[in-house]
Amino acid sequence: MNTLKKYSNTISMSLLQTLIFLMLGGISSVQAQQKVHISDKEDVVKQIAGLLNKGDLNKAKQVLDLQIAKSPKDSDLRMFLGKYYWLRKDYNKARFELNKSVAFNPGNVDAKHLLVAVEMETGRYSSAICYVNELLEVNPYWRGLWRKKIDLYRLQGNHVEADRLLKRISQIFPDDKELEAERNYQAELKANDLRKSGKIEDAIAVNKLLIQEKPNQLALYHELANNYIKVGDYYAALSTVDRGLTYFPGNGSLVDKKISILEHDKRYDEILSLLQAQSKGGSGINRTKYNYFLLEAARHANAKDPATLYGKILEADPGNVEAFPHVLNKTIANQQYDEALHLLRSYANVRGMDKALSLRELDIYRLKADKNKVRSLTRSLFLQHPNDTDIKAAYVASLIEETRADMAANEYRAAIPKLNEILNYGEAEERDYALNSIYNAYYQTGRFSDAIVLLQEKINLDPRNVDLKIKLSGIYEVQEQYERAAEIYESVLAEVSPVERENYVSGYNDLMLKMVKLANEQGNYPLAYQWTKRWLQHCPQDKYALMYGVNLSNQLGLKEEMLAHAQMASNLYPQDIPFKLKLANAQLLNGANIQEAYDLVKKEIALYPYHEEVRNTFVQFSTDYANNLLKNKADKEVIAVADQALYYKPQDKELKYLKGLAYEKLKQYDSAYYYQSFYEPSLLELEDFKAHLQFLNQKDFKNEVGLYHLRSRFGDNYTIQSISTFEYSRFEGVNTFIGRINYSGRSEGKGIQGQLEWGRAWDAKWATKIDAAISNKYFPKTAFNASVYRQFKNDWELELGAGYRQLYTEEHLYNGVLGLTKEINSFRLNAKYMQFFLDGHLLYNVGLQGRYYMNNPKNYLMAMANIGNSPDVMLLNYQFINSFSVMNAMVGAGVGRMVSKHISAGVLGTWYNYETHNYEIPYRNLYNLYFQVNVSF
């Protein structure tokens, strides 16, 4: 096969060389070419050859058409045109142009080479051979042409002429290795053909010649030896292999061939010697092969032993009493069981089948592993000899084997009658096996009632047999009679010793676990908890029972029982992390301090930072603790707790939201906006949530401009009085700076008031506010106010303040302020008592105000009222009325709305009713509308 591949490569290379020669434009280098000289012919030839070699066929054709029009009989141009058509695979036109080229110049070798290629590709091998002959006339010693001619003969199918020509050129070129390889290959092909056609003698002759020429080719020795074996000449085959071993000493394939030849002649001693010689040569003995031939040698020698001779006697006389046992035993020893059965039947046909022969036949079938036959023979023998203890034992053993196979194959119904036979004929141990198997068969086939009856009978006979009771419990479990199953198991646990109890408690745990899980999955938590408590009565230390006890009591809201279970579990398993966490949760549910529970879990997270359950529990407790801190105004602590928990669960949105709420309380609105934005509101919360985020975003602005307008009129007068205000606020951390201008135009003229205000939050509990004002008319000439604010627990705020005003009526007004504010969820309630001193007179005013924040302080509804013997502060500031020492009352309502993140607006309406000193109009009413717009940036 390798030689064939090599030869194919040789032909391919030959063809490839020719094509490369043509493609590379070798036309101009052939010695025998005749040139026709025209002007600039050499440049034209180079141009065309270059275009064809590059594959630019269209450009080459244009040049050729132009040149041929000038010189239509130029042989070289016609040759190039033929090459063009050849490359285009238009072989008819190529042949026409190349023939024209040769006609114009018979010595144009390149054209003839191209003609050879065209004729080969179109299958016109005879024409190709003619052109090759013409080329050989020019150059008779061109090896490539001779090789091509041989290839053409082979393509033509003329192998005789190809072989003759190959032999001839091999003589001309004796040193050509490729020619030598091809000759050898052809010889091998010839030998193969002769062998396939049945001419083995001729193939042998060819093989012998090949070996003479190539003595170092291993395959030739195998082929020649095989041919000798085919004609039955084993001696010559052995000689051929020995000759091969002289060239390839120790070759494994030749050694195996020699062994097979020696084995044919049963020359086992020589084979063993050869294998031993191989081992001494360093390759190591093949023990399997050596043992095989050693056994074959023994068998060969055994043909002369007495058993063999007895066999010949038995062949002549099948009933020979002396020869039969020798031959039968020898046959059985050699595991020739079918032969042994044949001998036995032949002997029985002559002597008759008796009990001994039947038992011997049974033994043979056992050795043969023919189970069906063993069963049928055993049953037959038992029916014939029911009192024979050996046969009965064999029959019972056969039944046991059958039933085991039936049980393994789930053929329980088939096994039951056989098991009943074992109960009738078997010994005690075999009957125990039968009883257990019948129980299993009943169990597997759903005959639970029969299984229960069987087990009850066995328990009555052996009441201390615990295993029977366990099986009975299993039957009740399958029938879903869990109460009966549990009772039986519990009675077993009560009667066995502590050491034995360990062997059965796991089964009880499995039973109870199944019942608790089943009730739990059905949502029947009370029943699941009852089973769990019963489980804990008998196995108080079982981890699963304790875990279910904790979880189910929690599910049912039994906080004290949950704490008891968790405490017991934690005491029994102090290193068990889940129980520690359950204990912390139970303590929390039973009123333990949230901080203590948080600290407990915090210790666990320090010990087990990568434990998933610890991490989740720590995050949950951190959330609860942070909520508690937030309610108690411990805003900075909320942030610290949230940060610790977020380290273990960075994406927890609830913790981030709590941080945002804390930052809002601390008035760090940029951080509040960022963290609260992680919250995922429901559809009902969405609008309020967006509005609140807008508020936080607005609170982060540093500047705010306020435009306010107040319109007032008395009830008995349609004249409208108004005050307009422009206000600018600057927020710098804990400081707030405000500049304010109030303007009022009345019948008496215009009044302007300028005011400055400074507010500061000193810490989370203390804040102050101071303002001062001066005006030219209507407003107090001078005004000064200062207030201190103190935050208390549970969202209470206390205000203490004092103020001074010089009224434009030249009166001096002093005031004191006591205010109390309470926030309840979205409500803000404020009560304020104002004590005035007006030129030695004590005056007062008490006011109440309530606001409801819809989603942020900028979106609100407001209601207010006050009463006293002095107007409220706002009227005093605006100097609309000066009704002192008489009853003054006011009610009002308003609404505020955040329009966008930059703009908010509001409107407030108030109604004042006050007593006059005019007897004709003892009371007057004042109606106010107060508009405000704030722009933050």
Side-chain angles (χ1 to χ4, degrees), residues 701-719:
F701 295 140
K702 297 292 185 182
N703 304 285
E704 183 177 274
V705 171
L707 300 174
Y708 311 118
H709 183 68
L710 174 64
R711 294 176 65 83
S712 302
R713 75 175 183 83
F714 290 96
D716 54 358
N717 189 339
Y718 291 101
T719 301

Side-chain angles (χ1 to χ4, degrees), residues 524-543:
N524 194 344
Y525 302 122
L527 178 60
Y529 188 49
Q530 288 178 15
W531 282 120
T532 301
K533 291 198 293 184
R534 182 169 175 174
W535 186 3
L536 286 169
Q537 287 177 359
H538 295 278
C539 301
Q541 296 184 356
D542 186 81
K543 289 181 71 173

Side-chain angles (χ1 to χ4, degrees), residues 694 697-707 726-732 858 898 900-904 933-937:
Q694 279 188 343
N697 199 5
Q698 187 187 78
K699 293 295 287 185
D700 192 39
F701 295 140
K702 297 292 185 182
N703 304 285
E704 183 177 274
V705 171
L707 300 174
F726 173 82
E727 177 182 285
Y728 169 74
S729 303
R730 175 70 179 177
F731 307 101
E732 291 289 350
K858 295 284 186 176
M898 188 173 195
S900 70
K901 72 176 182 178
H902 292 284
I903 300 173
S904 59
V933 176
N934 295 87
V935 180
S936 301
F937 57 94

Side-chain angles (χ1 to χ4, degrees), residues 414-442:
I416 290 173
K418 300 172 188 176
L419 291 168
N420 285 322
E421 282 195 78
I422 297 173
L423 283 175
N424 293 330
Y425 303 119
E427 299 296 329
E429 185 175 346
E430 293 163 337
R431 289 197 298 271
D432 286 340
Y433 158 76
L435 284 170
N436 288 327
S437 299
I438 290 173
Y439 159 75
N440 290 332
Y442 284 154

Side-chain angles (χ1 to χ4, degrees), residues 678-706:
F678 287 98
Y679 182 66
E680 294 181 351
S682 65
L683 290 175
L684 294 176
E685 299 174 314
L686 185 60
E687 291 301 322
D688 288 345
F689 178 70
K690 287 181 178 179
H692 191 75
L693 284 184
Q694 279 188 343
F695 165 73
L696 294 175
N697 199 5
Q698 187 187 78
K699 293 295 287 185
D700 192 39
F701 295 140
K702 297 292 185 182
N703 304 285
E704 183 177 274
V705 171

Side-chain angles (χ1 to χ4, degrees), residues 1-12 154 181-182 184-186 188-189 192 196 214 217:
M1 192 67 187
N2 291 332
T3 308
L4 176 60
K5 184 177 180 182
K6 181 177 180 182
Y7 177 64
S8 300
N9 292 338
T10 303
I11 294 176
S12 301
R154 296 205 186 282
E182 188 174 346
N184 292 334
Y185 169 72
Q186 294 300 326
E188 291 176 19
L189 286 180
N192 287 335
K196 290 177 181 178
K214 299 186 292 182
Q217 189 164 339

Side-chain angles (χ1 to χ4, degrees), residues 640-683:
V641 169
D643 284 339
Q644 284 184 317
L646 285 169
Y647 173 80
Y648 298 101
K649 193 175 181 182
Q651 303 305 320
D652 192 282
K653 295 180 180 180
E654 187 174 1
L655 283 169
K656 290 181 178 180
Y657 181 66
L658 289 173
K659 277 187 70 174
L661 295 178
Y663 277 121
E664 182 178 356
K665 296 287 187 180
L666 294 171
K667 301 186 181 349
Q668 297 181 30
Y669 297 107
D670 54 346
S671 298
Y673 176 84
Y674 172 75
Y675 285 106
Q676 288 188 38
S677 65
F678 287 98
Y679 182 66
E680 294 181 351
S682 65
L683 290 175

Side-chain angles (χ1 to χ4, degrees), residues 582-653:
K582 294 292 183 183
L583 177 60
N585 194 36
Q587 290 174 338
L588 187 62
L589 290 175
N590 280 272
N593 188 294
I594 179 63
Q595 184 174 356
E596 294 177 1
Y598 169 77
D599 291 339
L600 175 63
V601 180
K602 188 176 180 181
K603 291 178 182 178
E604 293 300 314
I605 196 69
L607 294 173
Y608 307 103
Y610 303 106
H611 192 287
E612 189 66 23
E613 188 174 356
V614 175
R615 291 163 74 103
N616 291 335
T617 305
F618 178 68
V619 169
Q620 183 57 53
F621 274 59
S622 297
T623 303
D624 295 341
Y625 185 42
N627 270 307
N628 183 266
L629 291 171
L630 195 64
K631 292 176 182 177
N632 293 320
K633 303 296 184 180
D635 305 314
K636 293 182 179 179
E637 289 84 347
V638 171
I639 295 171
V641 169
D643 284 339
Q644 284 184 317
L646 285 169
Y647 173 80
Y648 298 101
K649 193 175 181 182
Q651 303 305 320
D652 192 282
K653 295 180 180 180

